[in-house]
Amino acid sequence: MPHTPDALSIAPSDHPTMPSLLIHSPAGVVLKAAPVRRAARRLKALGFADVAIDESALAKHQRFAGDDDTRLAALHRVAQLAPGVALATRGGYGLSRLLDRIDWPVMARSVEQGTAWVGYSDVTALHLGALAHKAAGPDKVGEGVRAGFWAGPMACDDFGRDDSPEGGDDVTQEIFVEAMTGLLEAVGFRTEAAFDGLEVQGRLWGGNLAVVQALLGTPHFPKVKGGILYLEDVNEHPYRIERTLLQLHQAGVLAQQKAVVLGAFTAYKKSPLDRGYTLKAAIEHLRSVCPVPILTGLPFGHVPTKVCLPVGRRAQLVVQGRDALVLW
């Protein structure tokens, strides 16, 4: 894969069937280089055919991984190189600044050439923008196709941690490899017994709840009807989660879906004002006003163990007892 002298390249692995992988930083600043370099070594050890770090992945400008022009240029550069996998270093904040300027046909061509764009959290903005601007690829693909946009792990926290011999959760990494080799066709999880027998089909989409809300009413919010909407968030108190979900409900977004699947909502602080109000209470209230099935338990979000989800793919949600399965 072409790269500048400033980029880190790791020699090809012994697994020629594995895709190439390029690590880039489209959003928040990466404070230290060590996690990125550790992630590159780990990804090479997992068998990726060629692993490189984009030349501006470690750029710094305020809280961003380079100024807006730098990050925009990096996105377009990665798209033009069309690696097998374009993996974000981290989220944070920054992609919303770029949405009005992204060359969506360039992004679409990278998907046509086989690139899988992977990330979550703030990367949700890129996923939803791609859907809205018809750059995410077809909603129906043949077996073994990895190209498109994937909600999945990121380099620093999932492959570059210094508190784990593997750099991150081994289950997350195994699922990622399976997804990036075109073998992942479904993910399962445990949910409430109340949804036994549920079976719906629709386009799979969503991501970070705060980012989804932030794009509502903009040209970058996809108009998905009859979809399966998945959501997660971090550092948001249950009342803020409820308020955001209610906005999506009152805006008519939830009613247009076949189902809503909630992932992890983590790292919030309880308040003495809660007086028994919990995330469960917030979800129960939403269910009382929204007729669409709202499931919990999806292993996705700001948690060590997370699945990979193909954004925009036609999927099926099936529940038997408490066992839920999302297939595509």
Side-chain angles (χ1 to χ4, degrees), residues 2-49:
H3 58 277
T4 70
D6 293 330
L8 169 67
S9 180
I10 295 194
S13 75
D14 297 327
H15 304 273
T17 59
M18 291 284 281
S20 61
L21 186 146
L22 181 55
I23 298 171
H24 66 111
S25 298
V29 64
V30 177
L31 292 178
K32 296 180 180 179
V36 181
R37 298 181 186 277
R38 189 180 299 114
R41 290 192 294 270
R42 176 58 180 161
L43 287 158
K44 189 252 182 179
L46 286 170
F48 285 90

Side-chain angles (χ1 to χ4, degrees), residues 119-178:
Y120 73 106
S121 194
D122 193 63
V123 182
T124 297
L126 184 66
H127 294 167
L128 298 191
L131 277 179
H133 297 283
K134 303 187 185 308
D139 61 348
K140 295 181 180 179
V141 300
E143 292 185 6
V145 176
R146 69 169 184 277
F149 290 79
W150 287 79
M154 293 190 285
C156 290
D157 277 349
D158 295 300
F159 299 94
R161 299 182 66 90
D162 61 4
D163 57 357
S164 167
E166 290 81 25
D169 182 81
D170 57 351
V171 173
T172 296
Q173 295 182 11
E174 290 170 7
I175 292 173
F176 174 72
V177 170
E178 191 173 349

Side-chain angles (χ1 to χ4, degrees), residues 188-319:
F189 60 98
R190 295 277 285 176
T191 191
E192 298 96 332
F195 299 101
D196 180 31
L198 178 68
E199 185 171 341
V200 296
Q201 296 184 27
R203 207 169 190 191
L204 189 62
W205 72 294
N208 179 264
L209 177 59
V211 177
V212 172
Q213 178 199 33
L215 296 185
L216 187 64
T218 74
H220 314 298
F221 189 86
K223 295 178 174 62
V224 179
K225 295 183 179 180
I228 299 172
L229 174 64
Y230 61 89
L231 298 164
E232 60 82 25
D233 218 325
V234 65
N235 295 324
E236 298 286 0
H237 189 280
Y239 83 85
R240 294 173 63 90
I241 294 167
E242 178 186 311
R243 183 169 63 195
T244 305
L245 288 169
L246 279 176
Q247 182 182 2
L248 294 178
H249 164 63
Q250 292 162 354
V253 175
L254 299 189
Q256 293 178 341
Q257 309 310 311
K258 294 287 186 65
V260 177
V261 184
L262 301 181
F265 292 85
T266 55
Y268 58 82
K269 295 181 180 179
K270 296 180 180 180
S271 166
L273 300 177
D274 291 338
R275 296 174 52 79
Y277 176 81
T278 62
L279 180 59
K280 182 178 179 180
I283 295 170
E284 287 176 350
H285 175 69
L286 188 69
R287 286 171 173 160
S288 73
V289 298
C290 179
V292 175
I294 300 173
L295 286 68
T296 63
L298 181 70
F300 186 75
H302 291 72
V303 287
T305 304
K306 59 179 68 70
V307 297
C308 290
L309 301 168
V311 183
R313 293 265 188 101
R314 182 70 54 177
Q316 183 178 20
L317 171 63
V318 179
V319 183

Side-chain angles (χ1 to χ4, degrees), residues 1 7-8 20-30 35-37 39-40 43 50-59 64-66 70-92 94-95 98 102 104 107 110 115-120 122-127 148-150 152-157 159 176 180:
M1 180 185 300
L8 169 67
S20 61
L21 186 146
L22 181 55
I23 298 171
H24 66 111
S25 298
V29 64
V30 177
V36 181
R37 298 181 186 277
L43 287 158
D50 181 61
V51 178
I53 299 173
D54 179 70
E55 63 189 74
S56 65
L58 300 176
F64 307 102
T70 296
R71 289 179 293 108
L72 182 66
L75 268 181
H76 291 157
R77 179 170 56 249
V78 173
Q80 289 161 355
L81 288 171
V85 181
L87 181 66
T89 55
R90 62 179 300 263
L95 273 160
L98 308 182
I102 291 175
W104 296 107
M107 303 298 290
S110 74
T115 298
W117 295 82
V118 188
Y120 73 106
D122 193 63
V123 182
T124 297
L126 184 66
H127 294 167
F149 290 79
W150 287 79
M154 293 190 285
C156 290
D157 277 349
F159 299 94
F176 174 72
M180 295 302 102

